[in-house]
Amino acid sequence: MTDTTLAWNTYSRQRPERRPVNAAGETTWFNWTQYADHGPGVELLDLRAGGRVLDLGCGKGGNAAHLATVGVDAVGVDISPVQLRAAEERWGGAPGLELRRADALTYLQEGGEDFDAVYSVYGVVWFTDPAALLPLVRDRLRPGGTLAFSQRPPVEGCYGCQASYIPRGEDEDPLVVKRWDYEPHVWISLLRETGFTDATARVLPAPPGNRKTGTLIVTARG
């Protein structure tokens, strides 16, 4: 088992399960942010029924499962067998949903099928060097296809490759994974340099309450 796989297995065990229903009483839904019932939905992907979409770092599969229920063929890729086992237990067998265990870069490099949209919700785009990832994503997008991703905004003055720590037991050092933090205008520049068009990036404010950290949401066309 690689250190990266161990890290995301550990993270998965610490994460709560998605609620049985959201505030609207729906059993599946799409959520871009770290807050419940907040922010935009699937409209950011500009998908039509029958389209095909790739979730990079699908985790426990809730977003991909929702896409499958609205008539989209969704492929969820994750490196963690613990994450995927949880996804299979809750969503496995849903028509239009495929769950695959793979390293994202390897999966993209292997080629094959193309997609109408590729997305990442606090997932692979945050935790992979964009110089390596973005060209591969663009190669797998159909003409005019959408790339969309969300993650926490950078801390002021802390840009580029940073360290994320995943705690373990009291007598164990935390596990470390790398993440890439950039201001919105830098993401736009990186996407344009890779050949994407119509790139947008904004920080969606947190909902009313004590928590103030918003969500960085980025979209572009392949």
Side-chain angles (χ1 to χ4, degrees), residues 156-222:
E156 185 176 356
C158 298
Y159 308 123
C161 185
Q162 307 288 319
S164 285
Y165 295 91
I166 299 174
R168 293 195 282 178
E170 293 182 1
D171 297 327
E172 296 178 288
D173 289 332
L175 296 161
V176 181
V177 294
K178 296 177 181 179
R179 70 177 195 272
W180 276 260
D181 289 338
Y182 292 110
E183 294 174 288
H185 74 275
V186 176
W187 277 116
I188 290 174
S189 295
L190 290 170
L191 289 161
R192 288 175 176 169
E193 290 167 6
T194 313
F196 287 90
T197 63
D198 301 328
T200 67
R202 65 190 177 101
V203 175
L204 179 71
N210 293 327
R211 295 181 63 182
K212 303 303 179 185
T213 302
T215 304
L216 174 64
I217 299 178
V218 182
T219 63
R221 297 282 188 179

Side-chain angles (χ1 to χ4, degrees), residues 49-179:
R52 192 162 180 81
V53 63
L54 175 62
D55 183 340
L56 289 175
C58 66
K60 296 181 180 179
N63 286 328
H66 176 69
L67 289 170
T69 67
V70 297
V72 173
D73 291 330
V75 177
V77 171
D78 204 283
I79 199 172
S80 165
V82 174
Q83 296 266 55
L84 290 175
R85 186 157 53 247
E88 288 282 4
E89 288 173 356
R90 183 160 180 180
W91 313 110
L97 175 63
E98 301 175 42
L99 298 170
R100 302 180 185 176
R101 185 187 172 206
D103 169 79
L105 290 178
T106 301
Y107 177 82
L108 292 167
Q109 287 167 344
E110 288 175 348
E113 60 194 324
D114 293 332
F115 296 92
D116 298 293
V118 176
Y119 71 91
S120 166
V121 177
Y122 285 69
V124 166
V125 176
W126 198 10
F127 296 100
T128 308
D129 184 350
L133 179 68
L134 293 181
L136 294 175
V137 170
R138 187 170 180 270
D139 286 345
R140 298 294 292 274
L141 274 174
R142 291 169 181 158
T146 300
L147 167 63
F149 59 93
S150 62
Q151 59 196 58
R152 190 174 296 121
V155 175
E156 185 176 356
C158 298
Y159 308 123
C161 185
Q162 307 288 319
S164 285
Y165 295 91
I166 299 174
R168 293 195 282 178
E170 293 182 1
D171 297 327
E172 296 178 288
D173 289 332
L175 296 161
V176 181
V177 294
K178 296 177 181 179
R179 70 177 195 272

